[in-house]
Amino acid sequence: MPEDADLLTPDGVARVQRRTVAVLAAGQVLGGVAFGATVSLGALLAADLSGQEALSGLATASVTLGAALCAIPLARLAASRGRRRALTLGNLFALIGIALVITAAAVRWFPLLLVGVILIGAGNAGNLQSRFAATDLSAPTRRGRDLGTVVWATTIGGVLGPLMLTPGEVVGGWLGMPPLTGSYAFSIVAQVLALGLYLVGLRPDPLRIAQALARSAGSGPAPVAEQDSPRVARYAVFAVAGSHVVMASVMAMTPVHLSHLDPRNVTTIVGVTIALHVFGMYGLSPVFGVLADRWGRLRTILLGQAILAASLVTAAVAPQSATAVLIALVLLGLGWSAATVGGAALLTEATPTALRPRRQGRSDTAMTLSAAIGSVLAGGVLQLIGYGGLAMVALVVVVAITVLSPYARR
């Protein structure tokens, strides 16, 4: 509980919230570097070390599995000890994971690669928690905007990660790193800086202040709405998880699919495509945040489903065109962004402060675990019916989210 009573005043809360959003945004920039590199390299490393393209989806599955395994424990840690402890522990997991991935590539041991990627995914669970941390002290009219701002910050690191593949190979060669792991040198530096930033910058802890405000219950206007709408919360979890499994499954197979379209320029075409996809995921999140605040959380979720549908149809119609695949991946990122920002805001406002860390952890677990399963299955679907067929299978989930949307109406 905060020791300084001034922090519980409206001015104190606003001051801490501004600082929290700034720190979280900077941390997302740094954390996004490792995420972007893993998204781009994971499938290629898995295919290379295993010798089987059907197993390439295990890399993305391992990232999401790691996030799923750690989402609830990190949420519980945040509930009991604050966001700062949870986020810094996530950074430590990611650092260890990066070291294991590099070692696995050096000794060419596929199981060790998956362990390392799982730990990077555990670190990503901390990054996912940042978007909820941005709403701990946020006023209801700014909740979507603050959440979107923090999500947007991932754009910089997430786009830089894939674009660092080629220069990373140069740096990696100079450092004696294994092939396809050079860009992780940049990721290590970024994760160390993020770790230090959270340790120093998240003081006071926003969740601890929000919990103190909820306990005081009448000492001043609370910055969050204390209502419980379980049915709305369940739909929000389903919408976020479903949108994520659509995005992760198609995105996981894109590097492998593109490697067949242009084998001579794999790192370049994959790097550019994934970089633009990551930009789509995060670049317009503040816009979707404003839409969620002004237009409505549910409408923003449904807008995301419309964009996801456009992406999947594009991929299904012209799977052999690298340009069409690039357009589909950008739309895939944009649809995911709208659904995730709208869904996270809907879940937060449908849940009282005391229950938020628990439900947020369950949401992240559902999101990442379903995506892990989807990524594994995507490899087999790709081999059976191709990239276009995979897009059509994913479209079924989009239809389900849309059809069930009446459950989110109060």
Side-chain angles (χ1 to χ4, degrees):
M1 179 174 178
E3 297 180 359
D4 190 351
D6 290 340
L7 295 176
L8 302 182
T9 65
D11 288 342
V13 169
R15 184 171 64 252
V16 173
Q17 175 63 5
R18 288 193 296 269
R19 177 185 176 90
T20 297
V21 171
V23 170
L24 292 173
Q28 288 294 88
V29 171
L30 297 169
V33 174
F35 171 74
T38 303
V39 166
S40 302
L41 295 173
L44 297 176
L45 280 170
D48 179 45
L49 296 185
S50 69
Q52 300 181 50
E53 287 189 353
L55 298 180
S56 59
L58 287 178
T60 301
S62 297
V63 171
T64 52
L65 177 62
L69 292 174
C70 288
I72 290 179
L74 287 179
R76 288 177 176 173
L77 179 62
S80 61
R81 306 298 296 274
R83 297 289 189 189
R84 182 171 61 88
R85 298 286 182 89
L87 294 180
T88 52
L89 181 60
N91 279 122
L92 287 175
F93 284 148
L95 280 169
I96 297 171
I98 292 170
L100 291 181
V101 167
I102 295 172
T103 303
V107 300
R108 300 196 61 79
W109 191 22
F110 181 60
L112 183 61
L113 171 71
L114 296 183
V115 173
V117 175
I118 286 173
L119 286 173
I120 293 175
N124 193 43
N127 286 338
L128 291 173
Q129 196 179 111
S130 293
R131 73 192 194 280
F132 290 123
T135 67
D136 286 335
L137 295 173
S138 186
T141 55
R142 288 189 56 90
R143 186 172 290 135
R145 185 178 306 178
D146 288 344
L147 190 152
T149 298
V150 171
V151 173
W152 171 85
T154 312
T155 307
I156 301 174
V159 171
L160 280 178
L163 293 180
M164 297 305 290
L165 295 188
T166 301
E169 287 303 291
V170 175
V171 173
W174 180 67
L175 294 175
M177 297 175 67
L180 294 177
T181 64
S183 63
Y184 280 117
F186 304 117
S187 300
I188 291 174
V189 175
Q191 288 293 332
V192 170
L193 291 175
L195 178 64
L197 177 66
Y198 289 142
L199 282 173
V200 176
L202 286 182
R203 295 176 183 269
D205 192 285
L207 183 56
R208 303 299 294 277
I209 295 177
Q211 291 168 336
L213 284 168
R215 286 193 296 267
S216 65
S219 60
V224 289
E226 294 298 314
Q227 64 175 11
D228 190 11
S229 303
R231 187 179 68 178
V232 176
R234 285 193 292 270
Y235 175 79
V237 171
F238 173 68
V240 171
S243 301
H244 190 67
V245 74
V246 168
M247 184 278 296
S249 300
V250 176
M251 179 269 296
M253 293 299 101
T254 298
V256 177
H257 177 66
L258 289 175
S259 68
H260 294 305
L261 297 183
D262 191 355
R264 294 172 298 178
N265 300 298
V266 174
T267 57
T268 300
I269 190 172
V270 169
V272 171
T273 300
I274 298 300
L276 290 175
H277 166 69
V278 173
F279 177 81
M281 290 175 66
Y282 304 113
L284 295 185
S285 54
V287 176
F288 294 129
V290 172
L291 282 177
D293 287 337
R294 298 183 179 180
W295 196 37
R297 323 300 192 198
L298 180 57
R299 288 180 177 178
T300 305
I301 292 173
L302 294 178
L303 173 63
Q305 302 316 300
I307 300 173
L308 286 174
S311 164
L312 298 173
V313 170
T314 301
V317 170
Q320 299 305 313
S321 168
T323 301
V325 171
L326 187 150
I327 293 171
L329 264 287
V330 173
L331 291 173
L332 190 72
L334 290 171
W336 176 90
S337 181
T340 300
V341 170
L346 182 64
L347 175 63
T348 299
E349 74 175 12
T351 307
T353 301
L355 298 178
R356 279 180 190 167
R358 184 186 308 171
R359 282 189 185 168
Q360 290 164 350
R362 289 174 179 173
S363 175
D364 284 345
T365 298
M367 178 178 76
T368 51
L369 187 58
S370 60
I373 296 172
S375 298
V376 171
L377 296 177
V381 173
L382 182 69
Q383 280 199 326
L384 286 175
I385 56 178
Y387 191 72
L390 174 63
M392 287 293 96
V393 172
L395 188 60
V396 175
V397 181
V398 173
V399 172
I401 295 171
T402 304
V403 170
L404 295 176
S405 62
Y407 283 98
R409 303 186 188 280
R410 300 182 192 279

